[in-house]
Amino acid sequence: MLKISRLTDYGLLATVYLARKPGEVIAAREIAAFYHLPLPMITKVLKTLHAGGIVHSYRGSGGGYSFDGDPDVVTLGQIIETLEGPWDLVECESVDDAGHALCSIRVACPSRRMMFGINRAIKGAFEQVTLAELARGAMPSAVIDKHELSSPRVAERV
Amino acid sequence: MLKISRLTDYGLLATVYLARKPGEVIAAREIAAFYHLPLPMITKVLKTLHAGGIVHSYRGSGGGYSFDGDPDVVTLGQIIETLEGPWDLVECESVDDAGHALCSIRVACPSRRMMFGINRAIKGAFEQVTLAELARGAMPSAVIDKHELSSPRVAERV
DNA sequence: AGAAACCGTACCAAGGTGGTACTGTTTGCG
DNA sequence: CGCAAACAGTACCACCTTGGTACGGTTTCT
Ligand code: FES
Ligand code: FES
């Protein structure tokens, strides 16, 4: 349906949170609490980010995660690539394990090349956004609780 | 997972097939046979395209579908919008039937504005690709410029 | 030793997607 | 007229992905 998954969105939130406190070791619990998101979700996505080398992890008591890279070098594209894995806008370019093309009509397809171009354009757009730019912007102190939005007319004052 | 659905891809195939024979009434069976795709899939997507006003339909024996618009006016964005319905890259901007925001952490989200900009930029890229270019099998000239990501309106044609 | 915190994996419910089937309706043709 | 071709509409289903949870294991600090 042409949207990034919610997990990826969570990953961006966590990365930005860490990048705004460079070098600081922060527990996943703190991030989850700040955004009022389920802790297992945050930990899951942080594991992925660590596996992709975006953030560092420190185990044991007092441990957590930290971002100590250059926020001007890390791009949105890299983060998304880490979180979602390699992706293509259309599966025409993808191949299965046997190297066999997934799309059976490649040779007759009049839109494949165009799709490939769009694919590259989108990836290029993501590559142009740096983590530093993402981290800039208002970091509000108040957060709307999940339940206040589910029920109508309840979110009066936050 | 950041990909367009296969149905949408089928719709592009069908539209391009029709656009390559302007004004000609072509049965769905012919298109399905040409691409070696299941006929019910093609008919389903052609119904959607007809409902969206992209193609015309002619019932009865000898009937079929035809494209008789201006291929330089119809854009890839319009076709995708017709096939997939309104979409957003992230659900942060979407609202449910009651008008409530789907995302519970909007106010605290440091990436929402950036995502919104990217959303617009991608839609703009799709709008810049015409059906005529699609039918020619050309690579799109659309390039997403960094400036579009934060500017309030989508940039002009490249 | 015990607690804090990350690691790994497995599991599940819900929703979306791709695909099929079937019944109706319209139209051309002999 | 009567049949066949072709679109219209809807309903249905199997499968996969996604969002979310659970649980046990490992590391480290105090
Ligand atoms: S539909 Fe597969 S190559 Fe285009
Ligand atoms: S996560 Fe919803 S506004 Fe960004």
Side-chain angles (χ1 to χ4, degrees):
Chain A
M1 220 224 290
L2 205 49
K3 61 164 47 179
I4 72 175
S5 76
R6 199 183 288 194
L7 265 297
T8 301
D9 214 352
Y10 292 170
L12 292 175
L13 296 176
T15 307
V16 168
Y17 189 94
L18 291 175
R20 297 190 89 251
K21 303 182 178 184
E24 208 170 311
V25 176
I26 297 169
R29 184 179 305 270
E30 176 181 330
I31 304 177
F34 179 81
Y35 289 124
H36 291 82
L37 293 174
L39 176 61
M41 293 286 97
I42 296 296
T43 63
K44 178 184 290 186
V45 80
L46 280 169
K47 289 172 200 170
T48 307
L49 287 168
H50 175 235
I54 305 288
V55 301
H56 285 183
S57 81
Y58 302 90
R59 306 180 63 163
S61 177
Y65 297 89
S66 77
F67 176 82
D68 53 359
D70 186 349
D72 288 309
V73 168
V74 177
T75 68
L76 178 61
Q78 292 171 18
I79 303 174
I80 292 182
E81 187 87 18
T82 298
L83 290 168
E84 300 239 352
W87 52 272
D88 287 300
L89 186 63
V90 287
E91 61 185 21
C92 306
E93 296 293 334
S94 308
V95 292
D96 61 11
D97 305 330
H100 197 261
L102 282 180
C103 185
S104 53
I105 54 177
R106 279 182 58 118
V107 291
C109 179
S111 65
R112 179 167 56 87
R113 296 177 61 191
M114 181 277 313
M115 280 301 174
F116 187 57
I118 291 276
N119 210 358
R120 278 222 321 267
I122 292 179
K123 290 191 177 184
F126 286 137
E127 287 299 330
Q128 289 175 29
V129 182
T130 69
L131 178 54
E133 291 168 327
L134 267 184
R136 271 197 295 271
M139 181 79 106
S141 48
V143 182
I144 294 184
D145 186 78
K146 207 173 186 175
H147 302 83
E148 296 181 32
L149 284 173
S150 324
S151 45
R153 224 43 261 173
V154 176
E156 193 63 39
R157 177 92 176 94
V158 284
Chain B
M1 220 224 292
L2 208 46
K3 62 162 49 176
I4 72 176
S5 77
R6 200 183 289 193
L7 267 297
T8 302
D9 213 353
Y10 294 167
L12 292 175
L13 295 176
T15 307
V16 168
Y17 189 94
L18 291 175
R20 280 179 168 167
K21 304 183 178 183
E24 208 170 311
V25 176
I26 297 169
R29 184 178 306 269
E30 175 181 331
I31 303 177
F34 179 81
Y35 289 123
H36 298 92
L37 293 174
L39 176 61
M41 293 286 97
I42 297 295
T43 62
K44 178 184 291 187
V45 81
L46 279 169
K47 288 172 198 170
T48 306
L49 287 168
H50 175 236
I54 305 289
V55 301
H56 285 183
S57 82
Y58 302 89
R59 307 180 64 163
S61 176
Y65 297 88
S66 77
F67 175 82
D68 54 0
D70 186 349
D72 287 310
V73 167
V74 177
T75 67
L76 176 62
Q78 291 171 18
I79 303 174
I80 292 183
E81 187 87 16
T82 298
L83 291 168
E84 300 236 352
W87 52 272
D88 287 298
L89 184 65
V90 287
E91 60 185 20
C92 307
E93 296 294 333
S94 308
V95 292
D96 61 11
D97 304 330
H100 293 113
L102 283 179
C103 184
S104 54
I105 56 178
R106 278 181 58 123
V107 294
C109 180
S111 64
R112 178 168 56 88
R113 302 176 75 183
M114 182 63 65
M115 279 301 173
F116 186 55
I118 290 195
N119 208 0
R120 272 208 323 269
I122 291 178
K123 288 191 177 184
F126 283 138
E127 288 299 331
Q128 290 172 26
V129 180
T130 70
L131 179 53
E133 290 168 327
L134 264 185
R136 285 199 304 266
M139 291 273 276
S141 55
V143 177
I144 300 178
D145 182 31
K146 191 175 188 176
H147 189 260
E148 303 176 26
L149 299 179
S150 42
S151 81
R153 71 163 186 281
V154 173
E156 328 294 325
R157 259 190 99 88
V158 180

